[in-house]
Amino acid sequence: MILPWWASMLWLLAAFMGVQAITTPEGVRQIPLRSHSLSAPYLDSDMQSRYFEFGEDTIVRADQYIRLTSDRQGQSGWLFSKMPITATNWMIEVEFKIHGQGHLHGDGMAIWVTEERCKPGKVFGSTDNFNGLGIFIDTYKNSRPGVTFPYVMAMLGNSSVSYDKDHDGKDNELAGCSARGLRSGGTVPTKIRMTYYSETSLRVDLQWKSADEWTECFETEQIKLPQIAYLGFSAETGELSDNHDIINVAAHNLHIRQNTGASGNRGGKPQANPYQPGGTKAPGSWRWFFLKIILFGIVVVGAYVVYTMYRASKRGSRF
């Protein structure tokens, strides 16, 4: 009976020790944001999501995807976080898939970091005149000469600017890039990664050509988002259609080391000291090391006490 208890305690200790911040080579600690992350099976036992809401034509296939729209005409769907993003600096990586039948398809999907949430509308299935950031993965070309589609672009809204749908957002564009082949990427997981440093920079990278091969789409500086903003996804179809699937969302809070000097560099990209494996560790790393020792000691002492009581009860049962 004592062995299963030992195994459970050691497993809990290992799990607790494993949930910790990771220091990237750029000197930035990545702390998981569970409240803005998603993975299969997406729903709990009550068929609800703890951290996200969805609506309109969105359907959930618990073992595979959250489908914002099916490959049918005139659909729209959305998926939004229940809580705003509290991290000052963050990185959000999304695995998605846009696919369907036929040679013509549309219209596309959007990723939102906005004050508004759960409001269907005419901008890729969500509301127009939004306040915050919209990143649009546009798969149908309306009227934009010289641009190859699919096209990925960012727009900053201030609650009064309307998205220029007739010209594929040309007048609203903050930055963007063409991504030929991104739709129906085959066996390679299609991903987008957004990295934001408050009032400093926004970078968007894409993966669709080869696994673990990231292509920079754009990086822009001097960008400021609303203090209260929700993470969301939406998509729509018109006369042309596609499946728009969200497969996985991994969100992280980015904590910059104090010695990087990034917090004082508001005019450009964060500047970080090189990471030196085996070199000087940040104070937080040492604190975490001693905390793990203390926790291990508590487990050992607790196990010894339980084992002693177990042996004493066995001796008592003999008489």
Side-chain angles (χ1 to χ4, degrees), residues 100-318:
Q101 302 295 323
H103 299 288
L104 296 176
H105 39 265
D107 285 329
M109 61 178 287
I111 302 173
W112 305 97
V113 183
T114 56
E115 285 186 346
E116 298 79 12
R117 60 182 296 273
C118 307
K119 292 183 177 181
K122 63 180 182 179
V123 184
F124 297 96
S126 192
T127 185
D128 199 358
N129 302 112
F130 57 88
N131 185 29
L133 173 69
I135 296 179
F136 309 137
I137 304 172
D138 196 343
T139 57
Y140 180 73
K141 186 174 185 177
N142 289 297
S143 176
R144 192 161 179 178
V147 175
T148 301
F149 278 63
Y151 192 75
V152 180
M153 63 159 279
M155 172 184 171
L156 276 180
N158 60 3
S159 299
S160 61
V161 177
S162 182
Y163 173 68
D164 181 16
K165 188 172 185 177
D166 292 337
H167 300 91
D168 302 306
K170 180 179 180 181
D171 293 338
N172 311 121
E173 183 175 352
L174 175 68
C177 70
S178 296
R180 182 193 294 272
L182 179 138
R183 179 188 173 276
S184 298
T187 59
V188 177
T190 308
K191 296 182 180 181
I192 184 170
R193 182 173 63 203
M194 300 154 291
T195 307
Y196 172 71
Y197 293 96
S198 179
E199 302 183 40
T200 302
S201 68
L202 169 70
R203 174 169 172 154
V204 172
D205 299 286
L206 300 169
Q207 173 191 288
W208 81 93
K209 300 175 182 178
S210 300
D212 299 322
E213 177 184 329
W214 290 91
T215 300
E216 180 179 342
C217 181
F218 64 82
E219 184 167 10
T220 181
E221 300 179 354
Q222 303 278 334
I223 179 173
K224 183 177 181 179
L225 299 181
Q227 290 185 346
I228 297 178
Y230 298 87
L231 174 64
F233 308 89
S234 67
E236 70 174 353
T237 64
E239 294 183 4
L240 303 176
S241 61
D242 251 340
N243 298 306
H244 296 91
D245 300 339
I246 301 295
I247 300 172
N248 188 75
V249 181
H252 291 84
N253 175 16
L254 301 180
H255 178 72
I256 306 172
R257 287 181 178 179
Q258 292 183 354
N259 64 345
T260 63
S263 59
N265 180 29
R266 292 297 184 189
K269 295 186 294 184
Q271 300 297 319
N273 292 333
Y275 176 59
Q276 299 177 350
T280 303
K281 295 185 178 180
S285 299
W286 286 109
R287 287 195 294 269
W288 181 250
F289 175 74
F290 287 120
L291 178 60
K292 289 193 288 187
I293 293 178
I294 294 172
L295 289 172
F296 183 75
I298 293 173
V299 171
V300 171
V301 172
Y304 178 76
V305 171
V306 173
Y307 181 68
T308 302
M309 295 173 62
Y310 175 76
R311 291 191 62 184
S313 64
K314 280 291 187 180
R315 292 194 188 99
S317 63
R318 296 174 182 175

